[in-house]
Each structure stands twice: as C-alpha cells, then as structure tokens.
Amino acid sequence: MSAEANQHSESKPLVFHTPRLQLAELTADGLAVAGLTAASAAKVGADELPSRILALFTPAVIVHLPPYFAKVQDLASAKAWLERMLVESRLLTVTLIDDLGKTKSSPLIGFLFVYEQAREETQAPGYDAHLGYLLGEEYWGQGLASELLTGLLSCAHQNKDSLGWQRLVAGVGTDNPASSRVLEKAGFRLCSDIDAEAAPGVLFYYYSLS
C-alpha cells in the first residue's frame, strides 16, 4: 500500500455510518467534519488527537502496519504521524454510536485511511483506493472491522461518480490471516496485477467498483 503516488481527491469530505460506527474524514487542520446529521455534527480537536493516537497504537495494533507506525512513541511523533497522514491520505476517525444514532462520549476507537492512486492510462480512468484501518485492542473480536468495511463499500458505491474510485485495494501480511478473512468476507479477492516482489510477505486484495 504505497502512499507515494497518492492523488488526493478534491471531492467533499467523506462521512458515513454503520449500525455501531461513525466515520468522519479529518480536514487538513485536523478537525473532523460533520457527524451523522447536521444536528449531531461532532468535531475532534487537533490538540486532543496525539494523545488518543498514542493510546491506540499499542504493540499488538501496529505489528501488522507499515514500519513508520512503530515510530509513534510520544506526543511529538504522534502529531508528526497525523500531519503526514493528512497530507498523504484521506484520514477518517472511527467512533462508536449508540442505539439512537448519536456519537458516544467514548474516545476515538480507530482510524480508516485511504491513499488514492491514479490509474494507468491503459486502465479505466479514475483511482485505485488503497485502504488501511486500525481499531483499538479492546474493540477486537466484536465484528467491527467487518462492519467498517461493509460501510465503506456501501459509501464507495453510493458516491462512485464523485469519488472516481474504480477499485479498493488492501495489502495484508501473510502472517495476518485474520485480516485476510475479514477482507474475503467483505467480498475482496486476491489481486494479480500488483508486483508482489515490491512488497515481500504481503498479499494484495481488491474489490472492484466498476
């Protein structure tokens, strides 16, 4: 999942929800955009995010993520990670919602990040959306990762024209079969046109939106 060729879309910030989760894209100044409705719009202050990032980035969470995640060890490096992600990707916060569709007061529980890569001239115009996500350890084993992906796919289909995404792509380490099962359950298939030699030990999956 390379960020080098990311082509950040100019479309409006992404906001969507699932039965238990709210996802809201962060703007360049580090504030979350609208919540589920105009009445329940929520913002996460940029000053609060570094401490929440540190709490989320436990060894078990980052072990299967890119190496630079492991460099987040204090507030300064957490802020640097946030600034990098906001430049290179579309970064969405993941929070819990209650049975009435309102954001819970619980802290941020994870992130979804999407790197938009322009497709080759021989392919259909648009982007490959390379995605990654993380959830805090205490939220594992509850089906939230599958719910997050299902919500993202629904949002991608509904906004296909404005987003310009032709397919979603996710890289998973061969030592992380649990994540492979989550992707397969959501409808992702093994990808054959990405150079595996460039990322040894990684399996690439795709979901076509065309």
Side-chain angles (χ1 to χ4, degrees):
M1 182 165 52
S2 172
E4 294 180 359
N6 178 58
Q7 303 291 325
H8 204 308
S9 173
E10 297 298 327
S11 60
K12 65 180 181 180
L14 284 174
V15 177
F16 66 91
H17 67 91
T18 71
R20 294 180 291 173
L21 302 173
Q22 172 179 293
L23 288 94
E25 186 171 358
L26 294 174
T27 61
D29 61 4
L31 297 178
V33 297
L36 294 179
T37 66
S40 65
K43 290 188 176 181
V44 178
D47 293 339
E48 301 173 24
L49 281 171
S51 61
R52 296 191 185 185
I53 290 168
L54 280 176
L56 286 172
F57 283 23
T58 61
V61 167
I62 65 175
V63 65
H64 297 298
L65 294 173
Y68 60 85
F69 282 75
K71 297 180 180 179
V72 178
Q73 299 179 347
D74 52 32
L75 291 176
S77 55
K79 184 177 180 181
W81 177 89
L82 177 62
E83 293 173 347
R84 172 177 178 170
M85 296 301 291
L86 287 171
V87 170
E88 296 181 346
S89 72
R90 304 188 71 158
L91 181 64
L92 286 78
T93 57
V94 183
T95 52
L96 293 173
I97 56 178
D98 61 23
D99 294 337
L100 299 177
K102 296 181 180 179
T103 304
K104 289 186 176 181
S105 59
S106 59
L108 184 75
I109 72 164
F111 288 103
L112 167 68
F113 20 94
V114 181
Y115 301 93
E116 296 172 328
Q117 183 176 25
R119 310 197 86 203
E120 297 179 1
E121 293 182 1
T122 56
Q123 299 174 314
Y127 300 96
D128 280 346
H130 293 251
L131 64 94
Y133 63 88
L134 64 88
L135 295 172
E137 282 185 78
E138 64 185 288
Y139 304 100
W140 293 1
Q142 303 175 41
L144 292 175
S146 292
E147 187 172 317
L148 184 157
L149 283 176
T150 299
L152 175 62
L153 294 179
S154 177
C155 176
H157 279 292
Q158 292 174 14
N159 298 280
K160 183 176 181 297
D161 291 340
S162 60
L163 289 170
W165 296 351
Q166 294 298 321
R167 67 176 180 174
L168 302 177
V169 179
V172 179
T174 54
D175 59 347
N176 189 10
S179 289
S180 290
R181 288 194 294 269
V182 169
L183 290 169
E184 291 167 355
K185 181 179 178 181
F188 282 73
R189 300 180 179 181
L190 277 173
C191 189
S192 61
D193 66 341
I194 294 180
D195 184 7
E197 293 183 0
V202 178
L203 296 174
F204 289 95
Y205 290 82
Y206 78 96
Y207 180 98
S208 178
L209 293 166
S210 57

